[in-house]
Amino acid sequence: MFDEVADPPTGSRATMKDVANVAGVSLKTVSRVINQEPNVNELLVRRVRDAVQQLSYRPNLKARSLRRLDGRSATIGVLLEDLSNPFSATILRAIEEVATARGVSVLGGSLDESPERERRLTASMSSHRVDGIILAPASPSHEFLAPEQVAGTPFVFVDRPPINLDADHVLSDNRDGTARAVERLLGLGHERIGFLGDDEALWTARERYLGYYEALRVRAIEIDDDLVHLNVHSMTAASALVDGMLALDDPPTAIFTGRNILTIGAVRSLRHHGLESRIALIGFDDFPLADLLVPGVSVVAQEVALIGRRAAELLFNRLDGDRSATQRVVVSTHFIPRGSGEISPV
Amino acid sequence: MFDEVADPPTGSRATMKDVANVAGVSLKTVSRVINQEPNVNELLVRRVRDAVQQLSYRPNLKARSLRRLDGRSATIGVLLEDLSNPFSATILRAIEEVATARGVSVLGGSLDESPERERRLTASMSSHRVDGIILAPASPSHEFLAPEQVAGTPFVFVDRPPINLDADHVLSDNRDGTARAVERLLGLGHERIGFLGDDEALWTARERYLGYYEALRVRAIEIDDDLVHLNVHSMTAASALVDGMLALDDPPTAIFTGRNILTIGAVRSLRHHGLESRIALIGFDDFPLADLLVPGVSVVAQEVALIGRRAAELLFNRLDGDRSATQRVVVSTHFIPRGSGEISPV
DNA sequence: CTGAAAGCGCTTACAG
DNA sequence: CTGAAAGCGCTTACAG
């Protein structure tokens, strides 16, 4: 034997017990050093630290959280629509920032608007015993999460409110943001304003439509069914619908699009008809390079990172013991004029 | 007492033992049912299933992985540059897809080009006992990961190769992709081609520069220092440098930009000078709406999702026991002509 | 086909 | 200031 104490074998990890053996102290002393408890002899601290170094020891969080009274795993779950889209990605990053600062890791997942995936992934998070879950929901009802909530897992909803469940949530002011933008178009003299919206099943799509509806109502302008299209899912569908509206006997002089891919579809159609500088356009959601298009595309922008940050703050407040009533946080949108929304009717 | 067996108290979760009590069977029988082991009496299976339902029982993965021989946590770590940028977000999503199909969850983190964050977050992943780690590295050396690797955690690097560590990696053909694009410009008759590149410390930035360098060398065109700028970090810096190049006595007739934000900076400058249809431009990395600009921006596009998928496949192969030699996977880039790269010199 | 005992790597509660 | 024993919620290895 060349080593005084045998190293643990390759392919397996050093445990606290290995560290104790190498340092010549008890398990409990190692635990004290790792957890920075006071009142440990300097010399022993040093010996433990050296052994940790020598063995590349990493405390096992799974074992720790299994035994600890609070059972915390130092992990939260974040389930969003699609981690590859800029909206979800920005929210995830903002949450990560808050979590990392507290030494908490983030388990992420994409729901793709699938209620079934929502059930599966929340169950998975639950099996991982995450300390809390932030969710941009896909289901028509969240009753099924009640047992998790009762078991002590706090939920914070983002982008859309919970249904049949009492939980904190963070939303944009979809309706007001849209109404104010449509009011701007009305203020310029537009009376025929087209509307393209996403899937009616989505709360955000309905809210944005309601903003449009209310703004017209206030001015006593009747809704023209030829100018309103909901359940538009793609850029190409949006282009085709704008093509159709432009072919009407009485075409719109302005268009409001309820989502960025629909906005881009509208831009393509207007360009195709050479009307991008004649017909006003405002979109909900900012998008990269909107300012580099000609004309620049005016938008109702969401504070996406702020939504993520607020959600994380709410969650950690709950984890810190906040038992106050459920909170709804509404994050303001802001209008960004870039040209396309400032075109007057001819 | 109304219930025959007391439910576990609010705020705590049902355990396998609780399920066993409610179902009137032993712990081991519950374990068999949960893990779908064969040879369990139909009646007992049913009773256990009912108890699971009634108690909203979720198996505790932490406890399971603590005891299991393979110690698998059904979790992998994914550390990328910035989860909010489209490149990282697309990779994460592609990995998530492969992982979810295997019932594995993804712990994500952003490194922000910080070696210190890389150390901290890999250590954190290690404490979570992830089964493997996919990493877009930020450090100048990855020696410090050797102990983790020896302890049995496989690593797969993406976007950049490991340094001082033997590990699988997935890269784009940065150098070739750039060289072929620059050759196209040369083919059009361009001889003065500007180059803007990212931080020289980054492997990708160096490779792309080498592609530019080699393409010119083959044609025996000398590199003009006035036309080459490395360590360009922002869109505004790129704009200013293009402004400067355009003011030269002998300005470039074409520009190659080594990263999408630099490309956008270059577009801004060319527009500002009204030269966007006179001076050719090709950028590395595609970006949204590149086709909607006038002229459309020609790019060398990476197969970003494929990079993520390949990395995940490599990792899971290792977890499935593949002990073959370290692999380097090179994913091809492809050129997308949209107009700006097809402009001939005047 | 079913179950009682031991143990994974830690923390807790307690004794000295 | 230090440590030995029990136990977190599971799976393993074994007995019946």
Side-chain angles (χ1 to χ4, degrees), chain A residues 26 28-29 32 39-41 44 66-67:
Chain A
S26 76
K28 178 62 205 174
T29 296
R32 285 194 178 93
N39 303 330
V40 183
N41 185 305
L44 295 189
L66 193 59
R67 189 62 183 88

Side-chain angles (χ1 to χ4, degrees), chain B residues 26 28-29 32 39-41 44 66-67:
Chain B
S26 77
K28 178 61 207 174
T29 296
R32 286 196 179 91
N39 302 330
V40 183
N41 184 306
L44 295 190
L66 193 59
R67 189 62 182 90

Side-chain angles (χ1 to χ4, degrees), chain B:
Chain B
M1 288 287 255
F2 293 99
D3 293 315
E4 293 179 30
V5 179
D7 285 352
T10 288
S12 82
R13 292 180 167 282
T15 67
M16 201 172 258
K17 197 173 157 196
D18 297 321
V19 175
N21 286 339
V22 168
V25 297
S26 77
L27 197 61
K28 178 61 207 174
T29 296
V30 179
S31 175
R32 286 196 179 91
V33 175
I34 296 293
N35 292 296
Q36 315 200 46
E37 288 175 33
N39 302 330
V40 183
N41 184 306
E42 275 291 341
L43 175 66
L44 295 190
V45 171
R46 157 136 303 172
R47 276 176 21 209
V48 169
R49 294 249 162 85
D50 288 349
V52 163
Q53 191 75 30
Q54 181 189 328
L55 298 173
S56 295
Y57 171 72
R58 303 271 184 223
N60 186 330
L61 291 183
K62 296 183 298 189
R64 168 183 292 176
S65 86
L66 193 59
R67 189 62 182 90
R68 280 213 173 153
L69 291 178
D70 62 14
R72 293 286 169 81
S73 62
T75 309
I76 60 172
V78 178
L79 297 173
L80 302 173
E81 184 186 334
D82 172 5
L83 297 184
S84 74
N85 87 30
F87 184 79
S88 300
T90 302
I91 290 183
L92 178 64
R93 178 66 211 261
I95 295 168
E96 182 206 345
E97 220 54 46
V98 179
T100 303
R102 303 180 59 129
V104 169
S105 299
V106 174
L107 224 36
S110 302
L111 299 182
D112 290 327
E113 306 294 0
S114 156
E116 192 267 331
R117 259 182 100 118
E118 180 171 300
R119 275 174 188 272
R120 201 150 38 85
L121 292 180
T122 49
S124 162
M125 295 290 162
S126 175
S127 270
H128 280 289
R129 294 296 188 271
V130 294
D131 301 331
I133 293 178
I134 294 174
L135 178 65
S139 305
S141 172
H142 308 110
E143 256 181 304
F144 71 98
L145 294 174
E148 307 292 345
Q149 214 182 28
V150 170
T153 305
F155 284 83
V156 176
F157 285 64
V158 289
D159 193 38
R160 307 160 190 173
I163 301 167
N164 302 326
L165 189 80
D166 185 37
D168 294 330
H169 48 287
V170 182
L171 310 171
S172 274
D173 64 337
N174 292 281
R175 197 189 296 199
D176 277 9
T178 302
R180 277 181 280 124
V182 172
E183 280 160 18
R184 292 176 71 100
L185 294 172
L186 292 165
L188 289 170
H190 292 283
E191 300 204 330
R192 290 189 60 70
I193 303 175
F195 182 90
L196 297 185
D198 204 341
D199 196 333
E200 273 184 288
L202 302 177
W203 180 82
T204 46
R206 292 197 304 275
E207 285 293 305
R208 292 169 199 174
Y209 173 69
L210 286 173
Y212 166 84
Y213 178 85
E214 288 173 4
L216 295 197
R217 279 282 295 249
V218 167
R219 294 266 191 149
I221 294 179
E222 228 169 285
I223 305 285
D224 181 343
D225 286 345
D226 287 342
L227 299 186
V228 174
H229 297 278
L230 287 170
N231 303 308
V232 189
H233 292 101
S234 68
M235 191 171 72
T236 50
S239 280
L241 288 167
V242 173
D243 288 345
M245 287 196 273
L246 296 176
L248 292 173
D249 289 340
D250 194 6
T253 62
I255 295 172
F256 186 92
T257 44
R259 193 183 167 191
N260 53 18
I261 65 160
L262 307 184
T263 308
I264 293 165
V267 169
R268 283 186 194 281
S269 172
L270 291 174
R271 284 253 189 118
H272 180 71
H273 294 277
L275 291 170
E276 70 271 26
S277 298
R278 308 280 305 277
I279 294 185
L281 174 68
I282 296 179
F284 201 102
D285 275 340
D286 200 6
F287 56 93
L289 272 63
D291 57 329
L292 269 190
L293 299 180
V294 181
V297 178
S298 303
V299 299
V300 178
Q302 300 190 69
E303 298 275 9
V304 187
L306 187 58
I307 293 173
R309 195 164 352 119
R310 286 271 177 281
E313 288 165 357
L314 279 175
L315 188 71
F316 285 112
N317 279 345
R318 295 301 181 188
L319 291 174
D320 289 344
D322 180 357
R323 297 271 165 276
S324 63
T326 293
Q327 287 194 47
R328 162 186 296 232
V329 174
V330 177
V331 174
S332 294
T333 56
H334 60 281
F335 185 78
I336 305 179
R338 293 197 180 107
S340 74
E342 287 64 45
I343 297 171
S344 296
V346 264

